[in-house]
Amino acid sequence: MVDYKKDASELLTLIGGRENISSVTHCATRMRFVLQNPDNADIEAIEDLPAVKGTFTQAGQFQVIIGNDVAIFYNEFSKISGIEGVNKEDAKVDAKKNMSILQRMLAGLAEIFTPLIPAIVVGGLILGFRNVIGDIKFLEDGTKTIVDVYPFWAGVYSFLWLIGEAVFHFLPVGITWSIAKKMGTTQILGIVLGLTLVSPQLLNAYSVVETKAGDIPVWDFGFAQVQMIGYQAQVIPAIMAGFLLAYLEIWLRKFIPNAISMIFVPFFALVPTVLAAHVILGPIGWKIGDAISNVVYAGLTGGLSWLFAALFGFLYAPLVVTGLHHMTNAIDLQLMSQFGGTNLWPMIALSNIAQGSAVLAIIFLHRGNEKEEQVSIPATISCYLGVTEPAMFGINLKYLYPFVAAMIGSAIAAVVSVSSGVMANSIGVGGLPGILSINPKYYAIFAICMLITIVVPFILTVLFRKYNILNKVDTAPIRTFGKKEYRESAKTTN
């Protein structure tokens, strides 16, 4: 077992001492600090520690990459510093003091969708698999699908829709539950609220357009009628209703005595919220969602779609750095609900691949640097599977030029994707497996886009390094295929 006492002790000093640490916790690979004054941390010296594989700051937390031994390192650090760790939720709350109002709003949006990601990924993979067996006609001279020929796979195709429908059509249930969980209110009430938005008693949201106004069922209160319309797959109405329920419950608990709170708080929180959801919030949220999706769709299909695609492909990675990328989840889901698919998601999957390819080029340029490879190799794999943060914060942003090379490759691929009309049937896992979410008729062109995001960022990263373009920190010699030699990259040459 590696002894981390020396590194833990030095980290405590370099991070500004015990008095600079507001709270500390850890995740699977990283120490997460909330610092009183982040400027007091000597980042360059910290990254020189043998146990440290990189650092970055996100969501108000200074994160130190340790690797799989992070739990051992954390225990040593706690002994030396005398600081007891907190759980991750408390650390998030503490970190908000270092965040702007916009950052707090974006962090809140991220906290809503993060617990839903496993279900969305599974749903995307399932719908992608259904694409392959039910939509691609590659049997009997291209006239039939696997489902058409084999009864077993027809049964699988039908069965898997049970899960796909649960994930995407009943998504409002997950959203309202996640909001209740985030706000610390009664989670079952959040679930019930979500169910009232997608109940079978309501006219399915997908049937509203084709239903005559006079045929839409209503609740008749005598003096007023309320249309019984469902909000299947609708994101914004669910978010608005979820927050209303949470804030109403919090407000009621301030005035209703504990002795009777179990009876009256749920009743006076849930009933008005459900009514408001169907009378006010739902219709307003639907229009907002339609407006957003129409603007995005028009941008991606209009005369300047190539420009929109280039900008999105180029800027998506910086959006991930700021946390703004979480907004795309809501937009993608809204596009799927309104147009039956999304042309935004393919560009996100391509950006994931591009960042991974840039790191792959760094692995090639710096081969022999075993310490860096402990970060770069897993980060590349992670990118190709749709998770880019380890690559961006651990490698690409540190050197900058691979980050920009990836952005350029992503932009080129995005233009090709949008210009070719590539559409994803669903969102799910990104990176290379993202092709499973693509409508099968676009598989070939999307494969070409994937190839672009593999080749272009790799070549640009090598060229940028060779000619010192956008390079201020990487002074390691360019490796050849001959003798292996490596000297540690300087932290700065300014």
Side-chain angles (χ1 to χ4, degrees):
M1 182 181 295
V2 180
D3 188 352
Y4 290 114
K5 289 181 180 178
K6 183 174 184 295
D7 285 356
S9 178
E10 290 186 14
L11 176 60
L12 178 62
T13 301
L14 295 172
I15 211 164
R18 190 181 190 282
E19 61 278 4
N20 194 38
I21 300 174
S22 179
S23 62
V24 60
T25 184
H26 74 88
C27 59
T29 59
R30 305 184 298 275
M31 296 278 288
R32 294 168 172 257
F33 294 92
V34 177
L35 302 179
Q36 298 286 356
N37 187 351
D39 293 336
N40 288 347
D42 189 341
I43 296 176
E44 294 180 6
I46 290 173
E47 291 183 346
D48 278 336
L49 294 175
V52 175
K53 300 176 177 63
T55 66
F56 62 92
T57 300
Q58 187 181 40
Q61 295 181 346
F62 178 67
Q63 303 191 27
V64 180
I65 304 171
I66 301 296
N68 294 331
D69 285 348
V70 66
I72 301 172
F73 188 97
Y74 172 81
N75 290 335
E76 290 292 347
F77 186 87
S78 295
K79 291 177 185 176
I80 293 170
S81 65
I83 300 173
E84 291 294 330
V86 299
N87 62 47
K88 282 187 267 191
E89 293 304 317
D90 290 339
K92 288 179 182 178
V93 173
D94 194 23
K96 288 183 179 179
K97 68 184 182 182
N98 293 330
M99 301 165 66
S100 66
I101 294 176
L102 177 60
Q103 288 175 321
R104 292 184 185 185
M105 291 174 61
L106 294 173
L109 187 62
E111 288 172 17
I112 293 171
F113 281 99
T114 298
L116 307 180
I117 288 175
I120 292 174
V121 168
V122 169
L125 287 174
I126 286 174
L127 295 187
F129 183 69
R130 290 178 85 247
N131 288 343
V132 174
I133 66 175
D135 295 331
I136 303 178
K137 296 180 179 180
F138 47 48
L139 298 181
E140 298 187 13
D141 298 324
T143 61
K144 292 185 178 180
T145 67
I146 294 176
V147 168
D148 293 332
V149 175
Y150 299 105
F152 170 78
W153 290 110
V156 171
Y157 184 84
S158 177
F159 168 75
L160 290 178
W161 178 237
L162 177 68
I163 305 174
E165 180 186 45
V167 172
F168 292 110
H169 283 207
F170 298 133
L171 183 65
V173 179
I175 291 174
T176 51
W177 159 78
S178 184
I179 291 173
K181 180 175 181 289
K182 164 185 160 46
M183 300 295 291
T185 53
T186 308
Q187 295 179 32
I188 186 59
L189 293 183
I191 293 172
V192 172
L193 172 62
L195 291 171
T196 66
L197 297 176
V198 297
S199 170
Q201 297 179 36
L202 308 171
L203 177 64
N204 192 293
Y206 291 94
S207 302
V208 172
V209 175
E210 59 192 37
T211 303
K212 295 179 181 180
D215 294 334
I216 296 177
V218 298
W219 288 293
D220 192 344
F221 295 99
F223 64 92
Q225 292 183 337
V226 178
Q227 291 183 329
M228 299 171 62
I229 294 176
Y231 293 92
Q232 286 80 3
Q234 292 288 320
V235 174
I236 296 179
I239 291 176
M240 295 172 68
F243 275 112
L244 176 61
L245 176 65
Y247 282 116
L248 191 54
E249 179 180 340
I250 292 170
W251 181 76
L252 287 169
R253 290 193 181 280
K254 294 179 180 179
F255 301 99
I256 297 178
N258 289 335
I260 57 174
S261 64
M262 184 176 291
I263 299 173
F264 291 104
V265 169
F267 182 85
F268 288 113
L270 185 63
V271 175
T273 300
V274 173
L275 182 61
H278 285 280
V279 176
I280 304 171
L281 301 181
I284 292 175
W286 192 313
K287 290 184 181 298
I288 293 174
D290 280 356
I292 293 172
S293 58
N294 283 329
V295 169
V296 173
Y297 191 77
L300 290 172
T301 57
L304 294 177
S305 60
W306 62 271
L307 179 60
F308 191 105
L311 289 173
F312 186 87
F314 187 77
L315 296 175
Y316 181 75
L319 288 179
V320 174
V321 175
T322 63
L324 283 166
H325 69 297
H326 290 292
M327 292 190 301
T328 63
N329 289 321
I331 297 173
D332 272 316
L333 293 167
Q334 188 66 36
L335 287 169
M336 288 168 54
S337 172
Q338 190 169 348
F339 300 106
T342 169
N343 39 10
L344 198 65
W345 174 255
M347 294 190 288
I348 294 173
L350 293 170
S351 179
N352 298 156
I353 299 170
Q355 290 293 327
S357 300
V359 182
L360 189 64
I362 292 295
I363 295 173
F364 169 74
L365 292 170
H366 292 177
R367 60 193 184 280
N369 183 351
E370 295 181 0
K371 178 182 178 181
E372 185 174 83
E373 286 174 353
Q374 293 179 39
V375 177
S376 60
I377 292 176
T380 302
I381 297 171
S382 175
C383 271
Y384 284 155
L385 294 178
V387 180
T388 57
E389 283 86 349
M392 289 195 295
F393 291 115
I395 300 294
N396 290 347
L397 283 171
K398 180 171 72 172
Y399 296 121
L400 184 61
Y401 68 90
F403 186 70
V404 177
M407 291 166 63
I408 295 172
S410 173
I412 295 172
V415 171
V416 175
S417 175
V418 170
S419 300
S420 304
V422 174
M423 180 79 74
N425 290 340
S426 64
I427 65 176
V429 63
L432 296 175
I435 194 171
L436 293 176
S437 298
I438 304 300
N439 188 306
K441 68 180 180 180
Y442 299 114
Y443 275 176
I445 188 64
F446 189 74
I448 293 174
C449 294
M450 293 168 69
L451 185 62
I452 291 172
T453 57
I454 292 172
V455 174
V456 172
F458 188 97
I459 293 175
L460 286 179
T461 300
V462 173
L463 290 177
F464 284 176
R465 177 63 189 90
K466 180 177 180 180
Y467 296 105
N468 273 324
I469 299 173
L470 298 172
N471 175 33
K472 292 185 177 181
V473 297
D474 186 2
T475 59
I478 299 175
R479 297 297 310 276
T480 66
F481 289 99
K483 181 181 178 182
K484 291 185 177 181
E485 56 178 319
Y486 179 85
R487 65 186 176 86
E488 187 69 28
S489 297
K491 298 300 177 184
T492 180
T493 57
N494 291 23

